[in-house]
C-alpha cells in the first residue's frame, strides 16, 4: 500500500473512534489504492461496499484535513459517489 493510503487509514481511524457508522464504504484514491470503512474502522482493502467514494490523492487528503468540504468536492466533480448516497452522508457525518 502507498504511504498516502497508510496515512489515511490512521487518520480515518482517529476520526471514526466512537462513531456509530453502521454501513460499509470504500474510498478509492486514484493511483494510490483503496480503503474500506465499516463499523470496526478503516483498513486498506478493495471489496464491494454500500458506497464507493472516488477522488484523487490531493482532494482526499484535503477532505481528511478538513480543508475541503466533501459536499463541495462532490458538487464540483472532485469527489464521485457510486452507490448508497444516504450511506455516504452518514459517513460524512461520522467523520465530521
Amino acid at each position: 500500500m502507498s504511504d498516502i493510503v497508510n496515512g489515511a487509514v490512521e487518520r480515518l481511524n482517529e476520526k471514526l473512534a466512537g462513531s456509530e457508522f453502521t454501513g460499509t464504504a470504500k474510498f478509492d484514491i486514484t493511483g494510490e489504492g483503496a480503503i474500506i470503512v465499516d463499523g470496526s474502522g478503516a483498513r486498506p482493502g478493495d471489496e464491494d461496499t454500500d458506497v464507493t467514494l472516488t477522488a484523487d490523492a490531493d482532494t482526499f487528503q484535503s477532505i481528511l484535513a478538513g480543508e475541503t468540504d466533501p459536499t463541495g468536492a462532490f458538487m464540483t466533480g472532485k469527489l464521485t459517489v457510486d452507490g448508497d448516497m444516504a450511506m455516504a452522508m452518514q459517513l460524512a457525518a461520522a467523520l465530521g
Side-chain angles (χ1 to χ4, degrees):
M1 280 293 126
S2 76
D3 289 341
I4 289 174
V5 169
N6 290 331
V9 165
E10 286 181 37
R11 182 86 168 118
L12 282 166
N13 279 320
E14 290 169 8
K15 287 182 160 273
L16 289 168
S19 79
E20 295 186 21
F21 181 68
T22 59
T24 60
K26 175 171 40 178
F27 287 105
D28 187 359
I29 306 169
T30 307
E32 298 293 336
I35 300 167
I36 301 299
V37 177
D38 58 23
S40 62
R43 68 185 182 287
D46 190 11
E47 56 201 55
D48 289 337
T49 56
D50 296 324
V51 63
T52 300
L53 299 100
T54 305
D56 64 27
D58 290 339
T59 300
F60 183 73
Q61 289 179 316
S62 182
I63 289 170
L64 277 184
E67 299 165 355
T68 298
D69 175 57
T71 303
F74 173 74
M75 298 301 281
T76 59
K78 293 181 179 181
L79 174 70
T80 61
V81 178
D82 183 30
D84 188 339
M85 185 63 78
M87 194 62 58
M89 293 173 71
Q90 182 187 9
L91 179 59
L95 293 174

